[in-house]
């Protein structure tokens, strides 16, 4: 069996065209331009590169974006003050603080400071909790991107065995919870999982987000499985690879996402979606979605 290679770039392009049309409607009907503010603290090169991708994505669909660059010496209090100002600015629909933050700043207090209605990354505790109860205001972008890929390919989730390798708060756990909401039977594996292959061989849908190149080899993949590789690893020779042995596993899976060109394209796309959704809510709602849902 040779897998269908899922073209994340093409899916993202199609979705971005739809989102551009939604921005046009917001402009013409409500005179509103969706706006995202990205806060970058320090000069981590990887973060700078991710932020550039987000800003470019905004431009592509007509979202107004602003990059607030703060020095690594910024105190937690100063950062919270910036967020407070943006929370109170009605022209801003999304606030994103690029992670990781310098060690002296507590990530939890920063994420919880962001207004839930503007938490387009979906990392606020309320949105995290909403993953359990099924009523998030915003879904976290990478897991949402995984869900959109499955939807686009008409891959049934209900009743399927899903194995998620990786249990981080930003990818593994929310992906597992979102797919569980869709009635999959979900197993989460992590570093301390004994005999990873025992679990991955059960997977009809295998989502891998461990950050370990070649963790998933054909011997531990069920024939015909759908394999979604979230991993993004830079090898010493400069090549970018995922967590899956792509060449080997594509001969056994029914669907597979490449790296690059798979899930990565979808993460920023879902951020754009969430920002537009936030602007649509602000333009049309008399009460906030947070208060309505709470
Ligand atoms: P993370 O916070 O480092 O979490 C990695 C998870 O994988 C942890 O739960 C860890 O287990 C688990 N793990 C590590 N080694 C393992 C092993 N040998 N067997 C089983 N589980 C193992 O990373 P993350 O932020 O979730 O990101 C994961 C990967 O996805 C990275 O490559 C990252 O670059 C990529 N990523 C891509 C996108 C995208 O848009 N494409 C977005 C976000 C992240 P423990 O919990 O036991 O430590």
């Amino acid at each position: 069996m040779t897998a269908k290679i899922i073209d994340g770039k093409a899916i993202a392009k199609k979705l971005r065209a739809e989102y551009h049309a939604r921005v046009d409607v917001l402009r013409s009907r409500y005179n509103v331009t969706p706006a995202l503010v990205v806060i970058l603290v320090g000069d981590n090169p990887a973060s700078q590169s991710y932020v550039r991708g987000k800003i470019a994505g905004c431009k592509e669909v007509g979202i107004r974006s602003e990059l607030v660059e703060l020095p690594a010496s910024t105190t937690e209090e100063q950062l919270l003050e910036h967020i407070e100002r943006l929370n109170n600015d009605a022209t801003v629909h999304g606030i994103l603080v690029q992670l990781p933050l310098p060690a002296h700043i507590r990530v939890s207090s920063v994420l919880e400071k962001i207004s839930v209605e503007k938490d387009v990354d979906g990392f606020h505790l309320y949105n995290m909790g909403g993953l359990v109860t099924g009523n998030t205001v915003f879904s976290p972008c990478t897991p949402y991107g995984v869900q959109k890929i499955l939807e686009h390919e008409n891959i049934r989730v209900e009743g399927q065995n899903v194995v998620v390798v990786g249990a981080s708060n930003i990818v593994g756990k929310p992906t597992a919870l979102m797919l569980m909401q869709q009635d999959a039977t979900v197993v989460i594996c992590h570093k301390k999982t004994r005999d990873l292959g025992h679990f991955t061989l059960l997977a009809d849908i295998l989502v891998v987000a461990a950050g370990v190149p070649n963790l998933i080899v054909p011997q531990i993949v069920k024939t015909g499985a759908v394999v979604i590789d979230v991993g993004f690893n830079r090898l010493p020779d400069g090549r970018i690879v995922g967590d899956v042995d792509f060449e080997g596993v594509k001969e056994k899976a029914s669907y597979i996402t490449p790296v690059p060109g798979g899930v990565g394209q979808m993460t920023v796309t879902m951020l754009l979606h969430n920002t537009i959704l936030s602007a649509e809510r602000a333009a049309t709602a008399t009460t906030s979605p947070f208060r309505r849902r709470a």
Side-chain angles (χ1 to χ4, degrees), residues 50 141-143 164-173 188-193 196 208-212 215 229-233 241-243 259 262-268:
Y50 292 139
C141 300
T142 303
V164 180
V165 180
S168 72
N169 288 341
I170 63 166
V171 189
K173 282 182 203 154
I188 307 183
C189 300
H190 44 76
K191 259 188 214 152
K192 304 234 168 90
T193 299
L196 182 64
V208 192
V212 180
L215 180 63
D229 190 354
V230 183
F232 188 88
N233 310 293
V241 296
D243 292 349
V259 179
V263 177
Q265 291 288 321
M266 295 298 289
T267 297
V268 174

Side-chain angles (χ1 to χ4, degrees), residues 170-205:
I170 63 166
V171 189
K173 282 182 203 154
T175 302
L177 288 164
M178 285 170 76
L179 297 176
M180 202 166 81
Q181 288 292 345
Q182 292 180 49
D183 296 327
T185 303
V186 181
V187 170
I188 307 183
C189 300
H190 44 76
K191 259 188 214 152
K192 304 234 168 90
T193 299
R194 283 183 280 124
D195 193 358
L196 182 64
H198 168 79
F199 296 99
T200 56
L201 278 167
L202 295 173
D204 302 309
I205 301 173

Side-chain angles (χ1 to χ4, degrees), residues 202-253:
L202 295 173
D204 302 309
I205 301 173
L206 178 61
V207 182
V208 192
V212 180
N214 277 325
L215 180 63
I216 304 299
V217 291
Q219 294 82 342
I220 63 167
V221 176
K222 179 176 163 182
T223 301
V226 174
V227 179
I228 308 290
D229 190 354
V230 183
F232 188 88
N233 310 293
R234 193 179 295 276
L235 298 181
D237 64 8
R239 277 185 303 136
I240 301 290
V241 296
D243 292 349
V244 175
D245 164 12
F246 180 80
E247 289 306 322
V249 171
K250 84 172 170 24
E251 300 305 325
K252 207 167 176 195

